[in-house]
Amino acid sequence: MTAAAGLAITGGTVVTLGPPRVERRDILLGAAPRRTLDASGCLVMPGLAIAHTHLYSALALGMPAAPGVPRSFREILERVWWRLDAALDEKSLEASAEQALLDAALAGVTAVIDHHESPSFIDGSLDVLARAARASGIAAALCYGATDRHGAKGARAGLAECERAIRAGLPAMVGLHAGFTVSDETLHAAVDLARSRSAWLHVHVAEDACDAGSFARLEKARALGPKTILAHGVHLTAEERARVRDAAAWIVHNPRSNLQNAVGYADPKTLGSRVALGTDGMDADLFAEARAAHLRAREAYGPAGGIDAVALLANSGRLADLALGERPSDWIVLDYDPPTPLAAANLAGHVLFGMGARHVRDVVANGKVVVRGRKSVRVDAARIRARSREEAARLWRRMA
């Protein structure tokens, strides 16, 4: 991606996460910068990227409780998320995507890798997401998660939507929901499609014990490689983790979602160097996600252990660059006045325990300002929130 017009971000302290670096300098975008974004007294850092999310889930906030109390992860899916995704139509999906992408921009996110399902509205669903992304100014890699839970016809329609989007030139991947909801036929068809189109494959794997056998099926289908994104990986065995590393596949860690669903700990320290960070559709706050990743690892490994959660944030940016193209013109300005000295050596402490989405003041995506003074300059936030409330109410009624 290249900047459409020149921009200079001046007066700020530039921080980068991988490797950690803190320096006073200006950011010059475009050959001859003409506009200026004053970052005096602020931090400037590369735009953040969510490596796994669900834009369709924004209308779930405050949703009425599921009938009965879910006793397992599968029951959570059956009573909550599969009821929601089956009730989505074009209007509610558009409202959800607009709201999720607005929230992402305001949180300093300039790229998302989305995994989508709306079994009652498949054909054209990725176009809806793509339009919302273009309007927001946020780059989005898209896929439809094909599944056999509505029969083979639904699975074929999901893969057809992926192929249509790829052929149309959208930033699209091939998607599968998860091994435990897809047949061998659907799995092999997805792998063949990804290979024939040189596309990425994005799939949930071993999120819960009910999907513990999915990795072996993916491996048998020759689905693993550098362009494979495996979300969660909680219940991968030690041998499977080694094979993920050998295949150079990407794993996306979603610690808050894993805690919410009580599925266990993904143990990212054992997953190799290609581990990124996702929010799994809970929200767009990567600062909170990184903090949760750090704290969950401390709980798991003890005070002498832990993981480099900030490196996972940096990896998410690397993965987004690979999937969407490099993004040298994506930057965010944080109104963060550090209460203690800030340097490369202690940057992680500031990221995890000082900075937050609340500090994001300005966002530049592809060289264009999309958020200025904590307000979107690309979309009408009040209209989006009003429509989100209206469509959420409609969606909830259909789910009842």
Side-chain angles (χ1 to χ4, degrees), residues 50-54 113 115 202 204 231-232 252 254 277-281:
I50 301 176
H52 174 77
T53 193
H54 300 286
I113 298 176
H115 190 284
H202 189 176
H204 300 91
H232 299 287
V252 182
N254 303 270
L277 201 61
T279 61
D280 205 25

Side-chain angles (χ1 to χ4, degrees), residues 214-257:
S214 65
F215 181 84
R217 294 177 61 215
L218 287 168
E219 189 173 42
K220 185 177 180 180
R222 300 175 63 190
L224 304 178
K227 296 178 76 171
T228 305
I229 299 174
L230 306 174
H232 299 287
V234 175
H235 290 272
L236 293 172
T237 67
E239 291 183 359
E240 290 170 342
R241 290 164 191 266
R243 294 202 288 275
V244 169
R245 297 193 299 267
D246 292 343
W250 284 87
I251 288 275
V252 182
H253 184 36
N254 303 270
R256 290 186 299 162
S257 174

Side-chain angles (χ1 to χ4, degrees), residues 4 6 10 43 81 91 139 290 325 387:
T10 62
L43 300 185
W81 297 112
K91 289 183 178 180
R387 188 180 181 211

Side-chain angles (χ1 to χ4, degrees), residues 9 14 25 27 29 44-47 328-332 362-364:
I9 306 175
V14 177
R25 65 181 176 91
I27 300 293
L29 306 177
V44 182
M45 65 188 298
S329 299
D330 286 13
W331 294 89
I332 62 177
D362 308 308
V363 178
V364 177

Side-chain angles (χ1 to χ4, degrees), residues 282-331:
M282 291 189 72
D283 57 31
D285 192 342
L286 280 167
F287 291 100
E289 199 71 47
R291 186 177 302 118
H294 169 81
L295 294 173
R296 183 65 181 88
R298 294 281 284 184
E299 179 185 53
Y301 302 127
I307 62 171
D308 186 351
V310 175
L312 301 190
L313 274 179
N315 276 351
S316 296
R318 288 178 53 214
L319 176 54
D321 285 349
L322 291 170
L324 287 160
E326 293 189 2
R327 300 169 300 117
S329 299
D330 286 13
W331 294 89

